[in-house]
Amino acid sequence: MTQLDVRPQAGDTVNGAPDGGVRAKGLGGNSVGLMGSAVIGISTVAPVYCLTSTLGSTAGEVGLAMPAVFLAGFLPMLLVAFAYRELNKAMPDCGTSFTWTVKAFGPRIGWMCGWGLVIATIIVLSNLAGVATSYFWLLAGEITSSDSVAALDDDKAVHILTCLALIAAATAISYRGMTATKGVQYLLVGLQLVVLALFVAMALGKARSGDIAGSMDFSWSWLNPFSVQSFGAFTAGLSLSIFMFWGWDACLTANEETTGSEKTPGRAALISMVVLIGSYLATGIAAQMAVGSGDTGLGLANPDTSDNVFAALAGPIMGNGLGILLFVAVLASAAASLQTTFIPVARTVLAMAAYEALPASYARVHPRFKTPGRATVVAGVATGVFYTVMTLVSEHVLVDTIYALGLMICFYYALTAFACAWYFRRELFSSARDFAFKGFFPVFGGILLTAVFVKTLVDMWNPAYGSGSSVFGVGSVFVIGVGLLLLGVVIMLVMGRRSPAFFRGEVLKRDTPALVVAD
């Protein structure tokens, strides 16, 4: 397909910003409204997929306090969401974390923040593709009542080819623009939320009837984070909880394509967060009431089923007929998130290229679809290659790479939160609102995420973390997580020789807004 080079030239502006400020990139403006933007944020998080893969693990770490840990994980994400909202009002740029941290802290910290987002997204994309593939064959086996069909997922060649096909389909939809993305997402997100509501209602019914061993009555103590018996268990559960909220910022990376780009994306992010925490609390409480959090039978902490809770609970709670809807919902959740997760990585790469932090070819926008075509395709190819290589080399390496994801998430979210307070530092004491939303809330959220980052880094050193493999006595998850960040440093140094102007601060200038004193 032919693409148009619309790289911004010196003097190009966005919202009147002078050269050295944020720049136009040629994306299709006014393509998404408030509801569409919120749907994209929810879809990227993939609530049904997150629930089936982390309900059991979280219950295994903190027991009945699982809902409380969901609330604890929600807090830093909400505080960081305020930072995103305030920064987006000042600079609605699709580079989001990259652009904002450059403006606050300079090109090198900003580049590494952008790298953290990009590499985290590639890891997630590969994981989502793998999950969608597994559920595709699981669902096919359920529909055909054939164990041999379901077992095709165990054939490595079939699994990889199916995975690559799903990645290609998701890439194609994202390539065609926000309008195509939005239409697909309304259907897939709506399906997820409806099935979750049905599951919650039926789980509560099972809890009241007492038909399932282990069912229990609700207790307000489940919402008390101080009921967790050890700090180590709490931080482990918190790390899982934070992962469950990752991705809501996708609606911010689409800000240049959103109606009312200064306010709509920030509002959509907050709507996404509220919908997510409501869904997680309702599902977690209902499931715990229905089957308990024990480690035997249908208990949520049973190690034999904790990696895929809905597969174990579908039949007992919803029956064999309706239970299949949970399989459909998990597949829809993974597929929807696979498609929308291309939005942040492609637009971050586009912004980095537009500001000369990456090769200029990635700044090209498709003339018809108004999307970062080359960046989207390259992200799809990178995801396919990464997943294929990791699957062929070692399943343990693939698992450890996914465990390292939390490090990347905390890294770039915390930097963005601190960037908000520093960028607006001259305005913090101009009003109580500015102090709260531009200073205190972002810094508090950044501190919480930094604490999780440090604790995770320490835990990763232990070979028992993740798959249990090690390199020279050091945990493989630590080696992979730190190694990926160091790889970013190496690439940054190479780009520093190719694009010295950006790294000298001449393209995207570090600054802070002038303090405006009200009359």
Side-chain angles (χ1 to χ4, degrees):
M1 299 181 184
T2 305
Q3 294 194 345
L4 176 67
D5 188 347
V6 293
R7 286 169 288 172
Q9 304 300 319
D12 286 353
T13 63
V14 173
N15 297 332
D19 185 36
V22 296
R23 298 178 175 183
K25 303 172 191 67
L27 296 168
N30 299 321
S31 299
V32 186
L34 177 62
M35 184 59 67
S37 184
V39 165
I40 287 172
I42 296 169
S43 175
T44 305
V45 175
V48 178
Y49 157 69
C50 285
L51 283 166
T52 194
S53 60
T54 56
L55 269 178
S57 301
T58 308
E61 295 288 349
V62 299
L64 295 174
M66 173 185 62
V69 172
F70 286 169
L71 284 173
F74 171 71
L75 177 61
M77 288 301 187
L78 177 64
L79 298 177
V80 171
F82 288 133
Y84 272 73
R85 184 185 67 177
E86 297 304 320
L87 287 165
N88 183 74
K89 285 181 182 178
M91 297 174 284
D93 187 271
C94 71
T96 59
S97 293
F98 159 74
T99 304
W100 300 333
T101 48
V102 170
K103 298 290 282 182
F105 298 136
R108 287 172 179 79
I109 293 178
W111 199 98
M112 285 303 300
C113 188
W115 169 257
L117 187 155
V118 169
I119 196 64
T121 307
I122 294 297
I123 294 172
V124 167
L125 281 169
S126 64
N127 186 39
L128 287 167
V131 171
T133 297
S134 295
Y135 266 89
F136 172 82
W137 289 113
L138 180 61
L139 180 61
E142 290 287 328
I143 292 174
T144 59
S145 300
S146 172
D147 292 338
S148 60
V149 171
L152 286 174
D153 187 55
D154 297 327
D155 185 309
K156 189 165 287 189
V158 172
H159 178 90
I160 291 175
L161 288 174
T162 307
C163 189
L164 293 177
L166 290 174
I167 292 172
T171 304
I173 295 173
S174 296
Y175 188 91
R176 293 183 62 84
M178 295 300 293
T179 302
T181 296
K182 180 178 64 176
V184 173
Q185 293 307 317
Y186 275 125
L187 174 63
L188 296 180
V189 171
L191 173 64
Q192 291 181 65
L193 297 181
V194 168
V195 173
L196 276 183
L198 182 61
F199 174 83
V200 168
M202 298 185 76
L204 292 175
K206 290 290 185 180
R208 284 194 295 268
S209 67
D211 292 341
I212 301 176
S215 62
M216 56 181 58
D217 295 329
F218 170 75
S219 171
W220 287 105
S221 65
W222 296 356
L223 301 176
N224 178 16
F226 298 102
S227 64
V228 181
Q229 295 183 352
S230 73
F231 181 71
F234 178 78
T235 54
L238 185 62
S239 180
L240 289 168
S241 179
I242 287 174
F243 167 72
M244 291 179 69
F245 290 100
W246 180 80
W248 55 267
D249 53 313
C251 51
L252 273 299
T253 58
N255 49 20
E256 294 187 38
E257 298 151 276
T258 304
T259 303
S261 60
E262 293 181 3
K263 295 182 178 180
T264 299
R267 292 172 178 170
L270 294 177
I271 291 172
S272 301
M273 296 288 285
V274 171
V275 171
L276 289 168
I277 187 59
S279 301
Y280 291 163
L281 285 177
T283 306
I285 290 172
Q288 196 157 270
M289 290 176 64
V291 301
S293 62
D295 57 5
T296 59
L298 292 176
L300 295 177
N302 186 335
D304 295 330
T305 59
S306 61
D307 290 341
N308 190 353
V309 169
F310 287 156
L313 299 185
I317 289 182
M318 301 182 69
N320 293 329
L322 291 176
I324 197 172
L325 288 177
L326 270 178
F327 293 114
V328 174
V330 175
L331 175 59
S333 183
S337 184
L338 174 64
Q339 191 250 309
T340 53
T341 304
F342 276 101
I343 293 173
V345 65
R347 282 147 185 81
T348 299
V349 169
L350 168 68
M352 293 179 77
Y355 296 119
E356 302 175 30
L358 285 176
S361 60
Y362 294 109
R364 293 174 181 170
V365 172
H366 194 280
R368 176 184 172 190
F369 301 128
K370 303 297 182 183
T371 59
R374 176 164 294 190
T376 301
V377 171
V378 169
V381 171
T383 300
V385 171
F386 177 84
Y387 188 82
T388 301
V389 171
M390 291 298 100
T391 302
L392 293 175
V393 169
S394 171
E395 292 290 343
H396 292 306
V397 174
L398 182 62
V399 169
D400 286 340
T401 303
I402 295 167
Y403 269 98
L405 174 63
L407 205 65
M408 313 300 168
I409 294 172
C410 291
F411 175 74
Y412 84 86
Y413 272 162
L415 276 178
T416 307
F418 292 135
C420 178
W422 187 250
Y423 182 79
F424 292 114
R425 63 189 183 276
R426 295 177 183 172
E427 303 179 13
L428 295 183
F429 297 101
S430 60
S431 70
R433 184 202 177 280
D434 284 346
F435 177 77
F437 290 103
K438 295 179 180 179
F440 179 74
F441 290 160
V443 169
F444 188 30
I447 290 173
L448 291 175
L449 289 173
T450 300
V452 176
F453 177 90
V454 173
K455 182 64 169 62
T456 303
L457 202 62
V458 172
D459 291 344
M460 284 177 173
W461 184 269
N462 190 335
Y465 195 92
S467 69
S469 58
S470 63
V471 179
F472 300 116
V474 179
S476 295
V477 181
F478 181 93
V479 173
I480 292 171
V482 175
L484 288 173
L485 289 176
L486 292 178
L487 175 62
V489 173
V490 172
I491 297 175
M492 180 180 68
L493 292 175
V494 173
M495 288 306 304
R497 297 180 64 87
R498 294 188 57 179
S499 303
F502 169 79
F503 290 97
R504 288 196 300 261
E506 298 172 2
V507 179
L508 187 59
K509 295 180 180 178
R510 178 179 176 180
D511 62 18
T512 56
L515 177 61
V516 178
V517 181
D519 294 333

